[in-house]
Amino acid sequence: QDYTLRIAHAGPATMENDDYVGSTTLKEIIEANSDGRIAVDIYPGNQLGSYEEVMEQVNANALEVAHVSIGGVTPFVPELSVVDLQYILPNDEVAYAFMEGPFTDEIRDAVMAQLPNTRLVAVSDGGRWRSFFTTKPVQTAADLEGMKIRTISSPLQQEFVASLGAAATPVAWGELYTALSTGVVDGTKNGTPDIMSNKFNEVVSHVILDRHTFLFGYYFISDEWLNALPEDLQTVVLDGFTEAAARQTEFNAETEDAANAAFEEAGGTIYTPTEADRETFLGARQAMQDWYVEKYGEEWLQKMLDAVSEAEAAVAAKN
Amino acid sequence: MTAAFGALVALNTAIARICTALISGLLGVLVVTMMLSVIMRYVFTSPLSWSDDLSLICLVWMTLLGLAAGMRAGHLAIEGLVQALPLPLAKLVNLAIHAAVLLLAVLVVHYGVAFVKQGMARIVPSMDWLRQGYIYAAIPVGFALIIPFCIEGALSQFLAPREREAA
Amino acid sequence: MPLFIVLTVIAALLSMPIVFALSFGPILAFLVDGKATMVQIGLQRFFAGVNQFPLLAIPLFILAGEIMNAGDITRRLVNLARLLVGHLRGGLAHVNILSSVMFAGLSGSAVADVSALGSMMIPAMERDGYTRRFATAVTAASSIIGPVIPPSIIMIVYAYIMNVSVGALFAAGFVPGLLMGLGLMAMTAILARKHDFLRREGAPSRQEMVSGVSQGFFPMLTPAIILGGILLGIVSPTEAAVVAVIYALVLSFVIRSLTLRDIPALLATASRSSANVLLMIGSASLFGWMLNIAGVPQDLARMVLGLTENPIVFLLLVNVVLLVVGMFLDAGPAILIVGPILGPTMLGMDISPIHFAVVMCLNLTIGLATPPFGLVLFVSAAVSKEPVGAIVRAMLPFYVVHLIVLLAITLIPALSLTLPKLLGFPV
Ligand code: NA
Ligand code: NA
């Protein structure tokens, strides 16, 4: 082989994990289509560093590809936390259309303005919708009041939980199981696949599928490395990313259904909120947008809302 | 020669003292921050968002300033082999090792500049007025502070014990 | 063999401090290869190795230990141990070991055990007619219980490297630590009979018992508070360390063994030893990253899995490798470097990560007390002024106990896993 592409991601090295499925697809396609001239090495489980750190490595051309969530982007461009704002994306179809739309180019340009060598080449579904998993049943926002909900230590996530009247409690991922089983926290916001693969269903028995945020996965490549490839190989690599992202998206949709089924089978209760019950959560949507504007200004929020409207229109036109 | 060496020793003593004071202070801040964080979480059930990041900043700077603070006492090393060598040879090896550590420190400072610059593109999420680069700076600063110690260590191989004591 | 490993090993053998040698090899190798940008990322890995939330527990536990030492709490523990087992044949040797078991509940490091208890127990045992080297041997041999019974600095390091729960690991170390204590006391009983050790202490009077227990009661609550908090999931290990600091301070102020004026000196000592531990972790994480991108763990996993697919054979092999590694490297860096290397193989064999962690930690702490480069041995030699060789010879019967306990822990996973399972940790 003449070139090596190393890709780093967070998930564990198992075909039950969407990151790994994405990376593996990338490996298969690029190695086959380049006739073995490019070798792909996968570094799962954050072993090369955290999201921010692998982004810096790509920017220094010391790593070829970083596959991160929005958490890998916001430390460099805080405004981009706009894609994490709650209850803006209504459903799968719109989320997919949004992903395909021009907003992705905006993200690419904004990141390259800060990290000139770090080019966004593909976006995928990075782990489905986040919902509230709790030890007690929750049907309306009022039920969440006073509950201690685990978040990562991100101001946006903490603010969101607080705006629903719950107490945001930062707990390390590795300690979450015990924290849930002993009542240090009463719930956590995740996707069902995460819950099932970490056996958290043993300690949380209820989920309300409020689907507040859609998780995206972003593939960033070292621009210098990409440009140094012969043109035919550049095409091979870029096509590889498109397919890997598509495969990951497809895998996540399949996994979520299976995970939800497994959650119920293991004794968990799934509540899909009625229109009226979901309405009770939407106060938080406006509160979070106000909070965002105060912190980062109108510009990116407007871009985001416009992009979502466009995506909705595109979906409507297609149906 | 002895006078210059004496000045170097005095400089290093000062560095070690200042670093020791700084790392004691950083540990103090770390402990108080963590105490506050525990109290806010358990007594007032309103956790602080910045306490984790502030504690980590103290931890990182304490660690890297501890590099210079620990140079006099000597960092853990495998000394058996060198001690078994005949004295002139042992001195030569010691000289080479001090020179190698000096080289390492200079390299870390040199490449540390690019590292810190990279960190300036990034904020600390819970304290978004603070650039990560200021925390990254602990690495080149910590290694820069050991440079005079390496020079002292290398030179002291040439000085007779009496000269060393005079210094 | 990759160039960076050669450079690091040569530099370390020629007495370059380990913390520098671990960075020296990788950085120089990058420059030789003309990959200067990788140096910058190497620095990032050094930084990232230190910049870890779980590691905050390390300076806190070290500080708590310093406070308890300065605050007369350690002496009260030893006194309590003396009342409990001092009247047995070989009394003070038993006291030495039991003190280490009790001290282990407060302290996370073997070196802290040697320096705190050694300076107290070795002169006392000498006065009672034991040879100084035997007294030192008992101290060194029992000090390794410190990081096996929680809290434990190396377990904190392991948990964050291998992404397992610190609480579960702490729970898993409990029984093995007690077992080690019992084993060493059994060996002491055998030696006491064989060499006819004196039995100097009389059985304690009722009054002595009451005052000793009441003086030792609150200090002995410390481990209960730390462990209870963590094991019951009320606090994270880092928060438990904060609580330990607060408790030690309050206790020391109440018994008036400490004043505010003592605090700066305690902070200085604790920050220096914490920095030393963390510097090792930083440079080991740089070195470990280098091993990783050079593909060493993957190659090794393939090689080992080619040799055997039997988990027991694998664990025994691991024991041999780790004992050797532990002889040369401090436990923290050893875990950082070896853990990720052995991890893939372990997962390939369906061994419980918690069981594996205990085997690994026990192994590496034993390495601290074995020649040629055991840190505990050096500190013991410094405390007692006995040559390392003499200490090692006197320790031979205790090494036998170490190995037997290690084998038992390796072959019987239930010894480690039962307690965490009972407490509801996923194992
Ligand atoms: Na301990
Ligand atoms: Na002992």
Side-chain angles (χ1 to χ4, degrees), chain A residues 6 42-43 46-50 52-54 56-58 60-63 172-175 177-179 181-182 184 199 202, chain C residues 37-38 40-41 44-45 47-48 51 163-167 230-237 289 292-293 298 424-427:
Chain A
R6 288 165 306 164
I42 303 172
Y43 288 85
N46 278 336
Q47 51 182 291
L48 295 187
S50 65
E52 301 92 310
E53 287 159 0
V54 291
E56 289 181 345
Q57 293 174 20
V58 169
N61 195 28
L63 172 70
W173 187 243
E175 304 297 336
Y177 184 98
T178 332
S181 72
T182 55
V184 169
K199 299 185 190 162
E202 295 171 9
Chain C
T37 51
M38 294 300 274
Q40 184 190 330
I41 302 306
Q44 187 207 54
R45 298 330 299 153
F47 179 91
N51 187 41
N163 200 18
V164 295
S165 156
V166 179
I230 300 173
L231 298 184
L232 298 176
I234 303 166
V235 290
S236 75
W289 165 75
N292 193 358
I293 55 175
Q298 295 82 342
F425 288 100
V427 292

Side-chain angles (χ1 to χ4, degrees), chain C residues 103-109 145-152:
Chain C
F103 190 75
L106 313 174
S107 147
S109 104
I145 298 170
V148 180
I149 292 182
S152 163

Side-chain angles (χ1 to χ4, degrees), chain C residues 95-101 113 117 121 138-140 142-143:
Chain C
V95 172
N96 191 331
I97 296 164
L98 185 61
S99 302
S100 283
V101 172
D113 175 297
L117 295 177
M121 290 308 303
V138 176
T139 305
S142 59
S143 72

